[in-house]
Amino acid sequence: MGQVAAGNPGGCGFLGEHVVRMLLQREPRLCELRIFDLHLGPWLDELKTGPVRVTAIQGDVTQAHEVAAAVAGTHVVIHTAGLVDVFGKASPETIHEVNVQGWPSVTCCGSPWTWGRKHMPSSTFGMGRRKKLQLGHSPPPHLLPSPGTQNVIEACVQTGTQFLVYTSSMEVVGPNVKGHPFYRGNEDTPYEAVHRHPYPCSKALAERLVLEANGRKVRGGLPLVTCALRPTGIYGEGHQIMRDFYHQGLRLGGRLFRAIPASVEHGRVYVGNVAWMHVLVARELEQRAALMGGQVYFCYDKSPYKSYEDFNMEFLRPCGLRLVGTRPLLPYWLLVFLAALNALLQWLLRPLLLYAPLLNPYTLAVANTTFTVSTNKAQRHFGYEPLFSWEDSRTRTIRWVQGVESSSQ
Ligand SMILES: NC(=O)c1ccc[n+]([C@@H]2O[C@H](COP(=O)([O-])OP(=O)(O)OC[C@H]3O[C@@H](n4cnc5c(N)ncnc54)[C@H](O)[C@@H]3O)[C@@H](O)[C@H]2O)c1
Ligand SMILES: C[C@@H](CO)CCC[C@@H](C)[C@H]1CC[C@H]2[C@@H]3[C@H](O)C=C4C[C@@H](O)CC[C@]4(C)[C@H]3CC[C@]12C
């Protein structure tokens, strides 16, 4: 392949910005980059003076014509756009609409459910009181087909873009609703992937759409080559939840309180390495289409296996915070109760205001279930090695948190 034009829906998000910068720094054949996002960041202006033609397009992935216009003429699309919401800020319909497609009749990760015929799955598992969405036989106007990921696939097919890289998530696999541990698993590890929360359901469905599209003929007759990358919990510069924990710690007088046992390991991966993996896949898909097409890859690096809270302290401790307690300060049943209370309050307050705290039954279950990966599939298939060592990733993230501190003073 000669010169490359790339499209990046979601290019202004946390991961998307790193992918954009990585493409510009590390892909010498790149001649044009189209960044497509609902919200364009001011940092894009600084990119427009370099040798690569950078076009920022404000648009919505649920609008087919906007996506097709942005994708037309590109060689490769890196689809990082998505609604990442595990806190109940967006409705399940909106999450599905942006992350997957419009009006599906689908199987959600093992449990069959049909949109529009009966009801949506309860959006927060373990919550019997969650209001179910009762729908009639014809879709209400806000649920009429207006696909997100489906639009990206169709845009590639219609305009002749042959390579599609999709940012999936570890959540496609788990943790599942049963809280089964996934300990140092790889892409072939058997695991019962059963979800009810809209976010993992939407990611699983979208991933399946992308993988099933592998081999479809695009305009011009060549086959579409797709693959999906599954990051674990991403951290690094720009990570909103890390910022939230940092501010919470400052409010609590420089302390955070342990809620999760240190023995529960949660997989994490540095954003720069996730971005690097996307760039490598985009580069290698053409040469290794037979091997990589239709495949999934966990995103991994040398970040240590730790609990979610202990891992965050790797960055927050050097910024002056401490984690109080060697064991959880509250008994687990009380956390479960508080999480359920938060969910109830969210539901009761919804007509008046958006109450979306970090702790809810879903986030508690994810944080409290071991989920770690150990694999070399990306190394075997396309030669991936992490670009940033753990020490580098740690230093960069600490420096960023320290910047957050000074910019908020
Ligand atoms: N953050 C993580 O820990 C993590 C882990 C695994 C997978 N992922 C996946 O990585 C991707 C990026 O996540 P992120 O953490 O950077 O999230 P983010 O919210 O920072 O970025 C998502 C981007 O998508 C854009 N977007 C949302 N709706 C859109 C729409 N309708 N049209 C166009 N653009 C739209 C947003 O404006 C945003 O810029 C997502 O698909 C997410 O599921 C994230
Ligand atoms: C119980 C609290 C006490 O301190 C801790 C709550 C932490 C949670 C808010 C986060 C724990 C695990 C996170 C998720 C995980 O890292 C992987 C994800 C996959 C990705 O696709 C989207 C983000 C997320 C779901 C991430 C969200 C925040 C946590 C649930």
Side-chain angles (χ1 to χ4, degrees), residues 82-266:
L83 198 45
V84 186
D85 180 22
V86 292
F87 305 113
K89 293 179 185 167
S91 71
E93 306 93 269
T94 309
I95 293 175
H96 190 86
E97 186 185 18
V98 174
N99 290 355
V100 199
Q101 59 179 1
W103 192 246
S105 172
V106 289
T107 301
C108 178
C109 324
S111 50
W113 52 278
T114 310
W115 278 54
R117 294 279 168 211
K118 291 185 184 134
H119 56 70
M120 299 267 305
S122 171
S123 69
T124 307
F125 65 79
M127 283 182 55
R129 294 202 54 180
R130 183 82 192 183
K131 189 178 163 195
K132 300 237 170 83
L133 197 71
Q134 299 291 341
L135 301 174
H137 282 272
S138 57
H142 67 287
L143 284 180
L144 282 170
S146 45
T149 295
Q150 184 69 46
N151 275 345
V152 176
I153 296 168
E154 296 308 325
C156 291
V157 169
Q158 284 160 23
T159 66
T161 296
Q162 220 201 321
F163 303 102
L164 170 60
V165 185
Y166 173 63
T167 315
S168 182
S169 168
M170 75 179 218
E171 299 242 337
V172 162
V173 180
N176 63 17
V177 289
K178 299 179 179 177
H180 292 158
F182 186 85
Y183 182 74
R184 317 275 162 100
N186 63 34
E187 290 82 353
D188 300 317
T189 303
Y191 188 79
E192 199 182 340
V194 187
H195 309 289
R196 289 201 201 102
H197 190 280
Y199 174 73
C201 283
S202 71
K203 294 302 286 183
L205 291 168
E207 184 190 273
R208 192 181 332 147
L209 288 180
V210 168
L211 300 179
E212 284 175 359
N214 184 59
R216 271 182 75 181
K217 294 278 178 288
V218 304
R219 185 178 176 182
L222 292 169
L224 180 64
V225 185
T226 67
C227 85
L229 301 188
R230 293 173 174 169
T232 53
I234 307 175
Y235 69 93
E237 303 95 308
H239 187 212
Q240 182 58 43
I241 302 177
M242 186 81 76
R243 198 182 277 149
D244 293 345
F245 273 109
Y246 178 64
H247 285 135
Q248 191 180 40
L250 290 184
R251 280 197 300 275
L252 294 170
R255 291 167 303 175
L256 287 167
F257 299 96
R258 189 186 291 279
I260 305 295
S263 57
V264 177
E265 288 184 355
H266 187 80

Side-chain angles (χ1 to χ4, degrees), residues 41 92 184 186 286 296 310 373-374:
R184 317 275 162 100
N186 63 34
E286 181 171 20
V296 297
D310 285 303
V373 302
S374 172

Side-chain angles (χ1 to χ4, degrees), residues 68-82:
V71 163
T74 58
H75 293 96
V76 56
V77 167
I78 301 178
H79 174 26
T80 59

Side-chain angles (χ1 to χ4, degrees), residues 294-350:
Q295 294 288 326
V296 297
Y297 300 95
F298 277 120
C299 295
Y300 56 90
D301 60 14
K302 301 267 168 49
S303 302
Y305 300 112
K306 284 179 181 253
S307 78
Y308 190 78
E309 292 170 327
D310 285 303
F311 191 86
N312 284 353
M313 290 316 291
E314 290 284 341
F315 320 105
L316 299 180
R317 195 173 293 112
C319 297
L321 299 195
R322 68 192 176 92
L323 183 63
V324 179
T326 49
R327 291 200 205 154
L329 295 185
L330 298 177
Y332 184 63
W333 65 263
L334 188 53
L335 280 177
V336 171
F337 174 77
L338 291 174
L341 185 66
N342 274 342
L344 177 66
L345 284 174
Q346 179 174 78
W347 181 71
L348 290 173
L349 294 173
R350 179 145 282 162

